[in-house]
């Protein structure tokens, strides 16, 4: 049956507008006999990187909250349960879709909500909005901030010093989402995080191992050492992590909103720390921080509307990749075949060529993001793909870009059972950020200043070689690969929310989840679990995961690719809405590369 379905698909693909419905049907046929199944639930579903945090979101759904309440509760809880991955000292991006008009609108007359409503994208019975809560460079940051007198980049200062911390955005972003689009009171949404911080949680084996790995970094900071170590050794599996100072900070936020974090005792604690050494963040920086409501980018991929986050997030790179790959018949060349992997890697290199040279935080100046996705621009770029032969990075870099103007993180996906979807990725960058915990406030600082290009041509912590478009400048946000993504059915009904951690591999992880689901007809479980590849132009090689066959690797080598075996890449958290005529409910899938953490309202 699979072969017949694939053949039918090839035929229908060539035949124009009827394709998309047939495509969806073919997927349904293929879903029945798959070797992996996602978790099913009758109402909503929360997929997150840690189970206690996922349960916090499910509790909001049970209490009548919507996808936004659940995503905000889960992300606040993750700041307590996954402090190596995200935290109040970090930032991120959130993409929401709510059916109809949010009931919270009536209660919210604040200017920030009016601004958010004005950026909404309306489609088929609902509204979509992106919230950019990426950190910003402090006003005192200059483009040469991390250059040593020799002109080389000082990697320690760029990643491990107080200067590596940008002004945090997570609190402002989550509060904006919740106030303008949530249904429940903020105190209720934050309660699980506060309880987890105050009462403590058992340390998991993964957590303990990550503390061990980050030992030298965390032990160098007295506050981090006191929080995560006992008698010189990291907290062991089963021991309790209690975070009273973080609980107090969360309580201040629950009571005072933004002012509970960006002003008052928490801000004073941050400023005292900054003054203790060479930190740049000032009171004015904290007070000036605003989460930005942004209109999502939109493309159609084989008839499915796909929404992504504009720069500085990774959504533009992801949508560019989908547009580049759309006409290639990857289903016919086959999942994980050398021919498919080669085409994908070549597209990845072209997309990263654009990204690394041209993308950056547009700030208040208009950025022609949607024009990068125009037919003419995409066709010109696509014509650079040779399906038989790898084009070395040096060759691509020698040609001018086609359009010339311009390990650790965590993701939450929620389907609320009433048609609402949220995808939210947040991060403090490396595991445990810069390793420095704010004394008296209980959270780690990010080291996201390293996502800027410290010097054009020098690689950052993810090996990304970026240009002037992403230079450090006061008040700017560093370019990110984070790509929370929403996919709709051809009739506009909400379908998939997904996203992933993984540094520069985030965009290619999300790409492969979507190609596996939309092109290869895998169900959500298989789409997430399949082995992945990654290529980012420089270094000029394909990274591959366990599971790609030796003969595919050999054939890739023959096409001219360098190869590098990689550790597991990404950790996609995904949910999917099942249409009523197919039984209703939702699917959830955690990435088997990391711990299982799904929760449902029942
Ligand atoms: O924003 C970015 O692209 C990175 N700072 C994300 C870091 C990350 O995903 C680390 N994790 N696994």
């Amino acid at each position: 049956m699979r072969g017949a379905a694939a053949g039918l698909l090839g035929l229908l693909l060539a035949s124009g507008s009827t394709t998309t419905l047939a495509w969806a049907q073919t997927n349904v046929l293929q879903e029945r006999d798959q070797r992996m199944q996602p978790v099913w639930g009758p109402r909503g579903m929360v997929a997150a990187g840690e189970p206690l945090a996922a349960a916090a979101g499910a509790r909001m759904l049970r209490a009548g909250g919507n996808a936004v309440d659940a995503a905000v509760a889960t992300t606040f809880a993750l700041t307590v349960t996954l402090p190596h991955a995200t935290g109040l000292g970090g930032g991120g991006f959130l993409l929401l879709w709510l059916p109809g008009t949010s009931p919270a609108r009536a209660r919210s007359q604040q200017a920030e909500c009016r601004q958010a409503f004005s950026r909404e994208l309306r489609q088929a019975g609902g509204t979509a909005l992106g919230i950019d809560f990426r950190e910003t460079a402090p006003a005192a940051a200059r483009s040469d901030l991390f250059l040593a007198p020799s002109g080389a980049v000082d990697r320690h200062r760029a990643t491990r010093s107080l200067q590596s911390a940008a002004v945090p955005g997570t609190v402002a972003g989550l509060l904006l989402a919740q106030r303008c689009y949530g249904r429940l009171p903020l105190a209720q949404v934050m309660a699980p995080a506060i309880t987890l911080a105050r009462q403590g949680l058992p340390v998991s084996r993964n957590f303990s191992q990550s503390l061990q790995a980050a030992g030298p970094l965390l032990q160098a900071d007295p506050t981090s050492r006191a929080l995560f170590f006992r008698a010189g050794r990291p907290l062991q599996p089963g021991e309790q992590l209690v975070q009273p100072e973080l609980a107090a900070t969360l309580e201040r936020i629950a009571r005072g909103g933004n002012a509970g974090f960006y002003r008052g005792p928490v801000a004073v604690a941050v400023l005292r720390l900054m003054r203790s050494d060479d930190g740049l963040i000032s009171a004015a920086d904290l007070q000036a921080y605003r989460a930005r409501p942004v209109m999502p980018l939109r493309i159609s991929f084989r008839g499915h509307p796909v929404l992504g986050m504009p720069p500085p997030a990774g959504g533009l790179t992801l949508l560019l990749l989908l547009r580049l790959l759309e006409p290639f018949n990857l289903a016919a060349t086959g999942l994980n075949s050398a021919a498919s992997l080669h085409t994908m890697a070549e597209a990845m290199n072209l997309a990263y060529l654009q990204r690394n040279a041209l993308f950056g935080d547009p700030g208040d100046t208009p950025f022609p993001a949607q024009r990068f996705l125009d037919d003419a621009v995409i066709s010109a770029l696509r014509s650079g793909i040779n399906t038989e032969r790898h084009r070395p990075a040096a060759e691509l870099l020698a040609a001018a870009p086609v359009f010339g103007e311009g390990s650790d993180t965590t993701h939450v996906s929620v389907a609320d059972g009433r048609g609402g979807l949220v995808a939210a990725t947040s991060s403090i960058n490396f595991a445990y950020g810069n390793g420095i915990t704010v004394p008296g406030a209980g959270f780690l600082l990010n080291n996201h200043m390293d996502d800027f290009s410290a010097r054009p041509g020098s690689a950052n912590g993810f090996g990304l070689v970026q240009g002037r478009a992403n230079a450090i400048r006061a008040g700017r946000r560093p370019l990110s690969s984070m790509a929370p993504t929403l996919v709709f059915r051809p009739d506009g009904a909400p379908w998939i929310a997904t996203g992933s951690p993984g540094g520069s591999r985030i965009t290619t992880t999300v790409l492969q989840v979507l190609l596996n689901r939309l092109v290869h007809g895998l169900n959500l479980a298989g789409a997430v679990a399949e082995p992945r590849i990654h290529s980012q132009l420089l270094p000029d090689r394909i990274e591959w995961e366990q599971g790609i066959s030796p003969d595919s690797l050999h054939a890739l080598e023959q096409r001219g690719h360098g190869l590098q075996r990689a550790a597991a890449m990404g950790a996609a958290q995904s949910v999917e809405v099942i249409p009523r005529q197919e039984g209703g409910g939702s699917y959830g899938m955690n990435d088997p590369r990391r711990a299982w953490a799904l929760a449902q309202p029942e």
Side-chain angles (χ1 to χ4, degrees):
M1 162 174 332
R2 230 175 244 190
L8 178 69
L9 201 58
L11 278 179
L12 288 164
L13 257 183
S15 69
S17 62
T18 53
T19 303
T20 51
L21 278 176
W23 186 270
Q25 254 172 18
T26 309
N27 276 341
V28 172
L29 281 178
Q30 289 186 341
E31 276 172 30
R32 291 196 192 121
D33 58 355
Q34 302 200 2
R35 71 192 160 92
M36 253 177 278
Q37 295 299 324
V39 171
W40 178 83
R43 276 192 262 279
M45 183 73 70
V46 182
E50 191 282 326
L52 294 167
R59 213 198 298 170
M60 297 306 122
L61 297 183
R62 247 188 330 264
N66 63 12
V68 174
D69 295 304
V72 171
T74 298
T75 305
F76 269 124
L78 285 165
T79 70
V80 181
T81 64
L82 279 193
H84 65 275
T86 192
L88 303 182
F93 303 92
L94 181 148
L95 195 51
L96 64 87
W97 193 90
L98 291 173
T101 308
S102 162
R105 279 164 174 242
R107 98 177 172 216
S108 186
Q109 288 308 310
Q110 286 103 331
E112 66 171 357
C113 293
R114 282 202 302 276
Q115 193 196 13
F117 301 153
S118 73
R119 307 274 159 88
E120 286 175 347
L121 184 71
R122 298 193 171 78
Q123 65 168 48
T127 45
L129 181 80
I131 296 179
D132 167 354
F133 54 97
R134 182 71 158 164
E135 304 91 325
T136 58
R142 301 282 171 269
S143 62
D144 60 356
L145 180 63
F146 297 129
L147 297 190
S150 67
V153 177
D154 180 335
R155 296 292 311 146
H156 179 83
R157 252 188 321 122
T159 60
R160 297 313 192 192
S161 70
L162 284 176
Q163 294 189 348
S164 68
V167 183
T170 293
V171 172
L174 296 182
L175 294 188
L176 171 62
Q178 213 278 326
R179 187 163 42 248
C180 302
Y181 291 91
R183 290 177 171 204
L184 301 175
L186 179 64
Q188 187 175 354
V189 171
M190 292 190 66
I194 294 168
T195 306
L196 285 164
R198 194 162 286 296
Q199 296 183 356
L201 59 124
V203 168
S204 68
R205 183 163 164 267
N206 283 350
F207 193 162
S208 181
Q209 284 171 343
S210 82
L211 288 171
Q212 179 77 40
L217 170 73
L218 295 171
Q219 300 240 43
D221 177 66
T223 319
S224 298
R225 186 172 60 227
L227 193 55
F228 298 117
F229 287 73
R230 298 276 178 280
R233 65 167 178 72
L235 288 171
Q236 298 298 296
E239 286 183 345
Q240 288 288 112
L241 170 66
V242 188
Q243 302 174 81
E245 291 184 343
L246 179 58
T249 298
L250 288 163
E251 279 162 353
R252 287 184 198 286
I253 297 165
R255 275 198 310 272
N258 281 322
F261 183 82
Y262 293 99
R263 295 168 187 264
V266 176
V268 168
V270 172
L271 299 174
R272 196 179 299 126
L273 173 63
M274 290 293 144
R275 270 186 239 113
S276 72
D277 200 351
D278 57 2
L280 299 181
I281 297 175
S282 68
D285 289 326
L286 290 172
Q287 287 166 24
Y289 187 87
R290 296 285 179 279
R292 281 184 199 150
V294 291
M295 189 170 289
L297 296 174
R298 183 190 144 119
I299 60 160
S300 167
F301 180 79
R302 301 199 173 179
H304 294 274
V306 181
L307 302 186
M309 283 292 298
L316 179 56
T317 311
L318 171 69
L319 299 192
L320 208 142
L321 273 163
L322 286 169
R323 293 279 282 118
L324 280 175
L325 289 167
E326 188 175 23
F328 291 98
N329 197 342
L330 298 175
T333 47
L335 179 64
N336 297 333
S337 68
S340 294
L341 296 179
H342 165 78
T343 304
M344 287 158 59
E346 294 301 286
M348 288 174 186
N349 289 345
L350 287 171
Y352 274 84
L353 178 72
Q354 305 276 68
R355 177 207 187 273
N356 293 350
L358 304 175
F359 299 176
D361 177 18
D364 294 328
T365 49
F367 180 74
Q370 204 72 44
R371 280 180 57 199
F372 280 90
L373 302 167
D374 281 355
D375 284 344
V377 175
I378 292 290
S379 303
L381 199 57
R382 194 188 288 130
S383 67
I385 297 178
N386 178 339
T387 53
E388 298 305 320
R389 193 80 209 143
H390 170 56
R391 294 186 65 199
E395 183 188 319
L396 295 183
L397 286 162
V402 171
F403 186 68
E405 293 169 32
S407 200
D408 239 301
T409 296
T410 195
H411 180 84
V412 178
S413 288
V414 182
D416 65 15
R418 289 186 289 264
L421 282 180
V422 171
T425 317
S426 60
S427 180
I428 51 174
N429 201 22
F430 291 7
Y432 300 97
N434 66 8
I436 303 169
T437 300
V438 180
F443 59 87
L444 283 153
L445 290 171
N446 71 83
N447 58 353
H448 264 137
M449 292 295 286
D450 187 51
D451 275 351
F452 281 115
S453 43
R455 195 186 66 170
S458 290
N460 77 353
F462 297 100
L464 288 168
V465 180
Q466 311 174 100
R468 283 184 216 293
N470 185 32
I472 301 174
R473 205 172 57 220
R476 267 192 119 194
R477 301 181 181 202
L479 189 58
S480 173
S481 300
M482 289 188 255
T485 304
L486 303 180
V487 183
F488 296 76
R489 294 197 177 257
D491 66 1
W495 188 23
I496 297 170
T498 188
S500 178
S504 57
R505 291 151 191 81
I506 292 173
T507 329
T508 50
T509 293
V510 177
L511 171 76
Q512 286 164 93
V513 171
L514 296 182
L515 291 178
N516 292 345
R517 185 75 189 93
L518 300 173
V519 173
H520 295 294
L522 296 181
N523 64 18
L524 195 64
V528 170
E530 273 300 309
R532 300 181 185 128
I533 62 156
H534 172 73
S535 191
Q536 59 180 43
L537 188 68
L538 292 174
D540 188 1
R541 63 181 187 211
I542 295 178
E543 292 180 31
W544 57 277
E545 280 185 338
Q546 174 194 35
I548 304 289
S549 74
D551 52 1
S552 287
L553 294 172
H554 181 63
L556 285 168
E557 248 166 5
Q558 287 185 325
R559 281 175 155 90
H561 292 279
L563 295 171
Q564 169 81 47
R565 164 78 195 268
M569 296 189 270
Q573 308 298 345
S574 314
V575 297
E576 184 171 313
V577 180
I578 308 167
R580 213 167 281 138
Q581 62 274 23
E582 288 172 30
S586 13
Y587 285 132
M589 181 63 188
N590 285 137
D591 204 316
R593 290 162 183 78
R594 302 213 188 157
W596 293 89
L598 290 167
Q600 305 171 41
E602 280 67 28

